[in-house]
Amino acid sequence: MATGEQVKKLLAAHRDHDDATFFRVAQAIIADETAANHHILARELKKALGEQKKSGDLVVLPTGKDRVSLLNVHRSEISRERLVLTSRTSKKIERVLLEHKSAQRLASHGYQPKRKLLFWGPPGCGKTLTAHFLAHELGLEIGTVRLSSLISSYLGDTATHLESVFEIANKSPMVLLIDEVDAVGKTRDDPNDVGELKRVVNTLLQAMDNFANNQSILVAATNHEYVLDAALWRRFDDAIEFPLPEEEEIQADLKRLLSGIEFKESLKSIVPLLMSLSFAEIERITTEAVKTMILEHREFLTYEDVTGQLEQLRRHSAIETERKLDR
């Protein structure tokens, strides 16, 4: 919390209508709370202070040669209610949160919370959403790497771009999300590599070793965990799997998605049909089924509404598979 000296300076600045000093002292208090890992309080103080910033406080985001930003930094609005995970994954994420919220206690015993996390598993199982959730829960901004801008056709620029992104994350507390990290972290044993890949991976490894901001968290996400370089795996404090949901988890998700909707059948009857689907695919199917119900002026959902959308999803997936095979 604010020291007595800081409170006195705030009151004096208010009395003298000295906005510059008031803002400077308030920023120092916020910085102290952030350093103490009181991120929720720091976020609330920032909100109370307002959105004004001095030019010296602005974070200059890195850009490539085409002047396109390499990093998108913003506040996350993903709260706990939006997050759907398997129970095993949820426990791992709660452990990460507990460590960061208890950072001072850990530090008093010589330990630090996990700050470099690998999220791996099939698409649509909550990897990206969870990174945003961590930022929201800890009162941090979420910095999303723009992979299309990061990977450059100019020899050597991709490694330089990586260094720029990590430099910002080292200066400004954030959750740094590198989605599809396999695009820049593939194994260096690839026989088709012409040398640039090794340079990029080495740069990423070095950047992770030098990742020194105690308030920032690195989250790397991949759908293809087995192509990652072995040395990259070793750099992470924890590798958290985001698997497809099991029967009980599908049923719980259906209850959430169809809350307030009258369904003519038992939810258990459609759970087996949704096995092997991701949370995102299940949400897509149920959303479209409910929209069909509304458009047909009905007050209840039918088994056929759901199976019809499931069939459309399968047809779409089959077409996508054919397109990939034709490439």
Side-chain angles (χ1 to χ4, degrees), residues 78 119 125-133 142 144 177 179 221 242:
I78 303 299
F119 291 175
C125 290
K127 297 186 293 296
T128 301
L129 208 63
T130 299
H132 284 74
F133 167 70
I142 178 79
T144 306
L177 171 62
D179 215 345
F242 286 70

Side-chain angles (χ1 to χ4, degrees), residues 204-275:
L204 179 57
L205 293 173
Q206 186 175 22
M208 290 180 66
D209 287 339
N210 296 329
F211 189 58
N213 190 319
N214 290 332
Q215 285 85 53
S216 287
I217 300 174
L218 168 66
V219 174
T222 180
N223 304 332
H224 308 287
E225 65 278 6
Y226 297 111
V227 305
L228 293 180
D229 192 272
L232 187 60
W233 272 89
R234 294 194 294 270
R235 292 313 197 274
F236 292 105
D237 299 324
D238 202 354
I240 301 177
E241 183 183 6
F242 286 70
L244 295 171
E246 301 290 343
E247 285 191 31
E248 289 185 7
E249 293 155 346
I250 292 174
Q251 187 166 342
D253 195 29
L254 287 173
K255 286 181 179 179
R256 178 187 68 88
L257 292 167
L258 299 178
S259 176
I261 303 294
E262 182 181 354
F263 185 53
K264 282 295 184 180
E265 307 288 338
S266 165
L267 287 181
K268 289 184 178 180
S269 66
I270 61 173
V271 168
L273 303 177
L274 304 178
M275 292 295 292

Side-chain angles (χ1 to χ4, degrees), residues 99-131:
E99 289 192 12
H100 279 269
K101 292 177 179 179
S102 308
Q104 284 186 310
R105 184 177 183 183
L106 288 175
S108 67
H109 293 274
Y111 295 98
Q112 296 293 327
K114 298 181 180 75
R115 295 190 302 110
K116 303 170 190 175
L117 306 173
L118 176 65
F119 291 175
W120 63 277
C125 290
K127 297 186 293 296
T128 301
L129 208 63
T130 299

Side-chain angles (χ1 to χ4, degrees), residues 6 15 34 83 85 95 106 112 171-172 177 181 197 227 234 236 244 300:
Q6 286 173 324
R15 179 197 63 209
T34 301
L83 198 65
L85 302 171
R95 172 56 183 259
L106 288 175
Q112 296 293 327
K171 290 180 178 177
S172 305
L177 171 62
V181 69
L197 176 62
V227 305
R234 294 194 294 270
F236 292 105
L244 295 171
F300 56 88

